[in-house]
Amino acid sequence: MDIKIFQLLDGAKQAEGLTVIIDVFRAFSVACYAFDGGVSRIYPVGLIDLAYQIKLQNPEYLLVGERLEQKPEGFDFGNSPSQLLTGALKGKTMVHTTSSGTQGIVNATSADEIITGSFVNAGAIIDYVKLRNPVKLSLVCMGYACQYPSDEDTFLAEYLKAKLEDQPVDFSAMVEKLRYGAGARFFVPERQAWAPSVDFDLCLDLNRFNFVLKVEREKDLYFLKKIEL
């Protein structure tokens, strides 16, 4: 298996084979918590105007996501897993737009197959990749708002690659580095309303879920399909 790690939108555009679009803080962690909470379908969209349009046409849909990390006007939830834990999600359809992860999905146009990447379902991702046994595996780290690489996404790519190649990897060391580095923003008092400290722990709850989220297409929209492992 040829495993390559890519970064940001250019990386998404280069991705081939089975592609994992990675957004640990927080898009694809949020998506996992949403499905676990009972959401029936998630439409990941890149453009916020499209998200508003879909919501206007389907008022019963949940509008979830962020711009500049905060919940946009009119959204039901921000891009926060802790918010979803107490939300009424069962049977709902969710429209999800973010600055990083959902952008990767819509730009990975050369991929044969796309799944999402987060630590909360890392073990399931590894099992799924082994099951599919692709010739090429692309691990695409979407970084911070697609502007620059982020440690959390790169760490997950390195973690997945190491596990697939039967190499040692120290997840605890990654968590500690994130706590005082890229994840330190979750511990700033004035940011707790939209980036609470509990989100840090929820996004790094390794192997909490035993399913992957596969990207499918329906007419002009992508949607995420939950596949139990």
Side-chain angles (χ1 to χ4, degrees), residues 18 61 64 200 204 219 229:
L18 175 55
Y61 285 8
V64 178
F200 178 87
L204 296 175
K219 297 181 180 177
L229 269 296

Side-chain angles (χ1 to χ4, degrees), residues 1-3 16-18 112 132-138:
M1 189 185 305
D2 179 20
I3 304 175
E16 296 179 304
L18 175 55
D112 294 333
R132 298 291 289 162
N133 192 28
V135 174
K136 294 182 178 181
L137 176 67
S138 297

Side-chain angles (χ1 to χ4, degrees), residues 54-213:
I54 296 171
K55 173 72 171 180
L56 186 64
Q57 295 168 345
N58 304 274
E60 73 279 10
Y61 285 8
L62 294 176
L63 199 51
V64 178
E66 57 76 34
R67 287 299 184 270
L68 300 175
E69 294 190 59
Q70 300 191 42
K71 181 177 76 170
E73 183 178 354
F75 274 49
D76 298 290
F77 298 98
N79 195 44
S80 169
S82 59
Q83 290 184 17
L84 296 183
L85 289 178
T86 57
L89 307 180
K90 192 167 182 60
K92 294 283 190 177
T93 296
M94 174 174 139
V95 180
H96 193 200
T97 182
T98 69
S99 303
S100 298
T102 60
Q103 307 299 325
I105 287 174
V106 300
N107 278 278
T109 54
S110 296
D112 294 333
E113 180 180 0
I114 302 172
I115 61 175
T116 67
S118 63
F119 275 112
V120 295
N121 68 334
I125 293 168
I126 292 163
D127 289 342
Y128 186 80
V129 171
K130 289 179 178 178
L131 183 68
R132 298 291 289 162
N133 192 28
V135 174
K136 294 182 178 181
L137 176 67
S138 297
L139 306 174
V140 184
C141 312
M142 295 313 302
Y144 186 84
C146 298
Q147 296 175 10
Y148 53 84
S150 62
D151 281 348
E152 69 275 9
D153 292 350
T154 302
F155 283 170
L156 177 57
E158 292 172 348
Y159 179 92
L160 296 174
K161 188 173 188 292
K163 288 289 188 178
L164 287 165
E165 294 176 343
D166 294 320
Q167 298 297 318
V169 58
D170 190 342
F171 174 69
S172 297
M174 290 178 172
V175 172
E176 284 310 298
K177 185 170 182 180
L178 290 172
R179 188 179 302 276
Y180 299 103
R185 67 184 189 270
F186 292 104
F187 301 95
V188 177
E190 57 266 30
R191 298 169 63 92
Q192 293 306 296
W194 68 86
S197 57
V198 66
D199 278 2
F200 178 87
D201 296 317
L202 289 173
C203 290
L204 296 175
D205 191 0
L206 185 65
N207 301 332
R208 178 170 179 146
F209 305 117
N210 193 35
F211 56 78
V212 297
L213 302 182

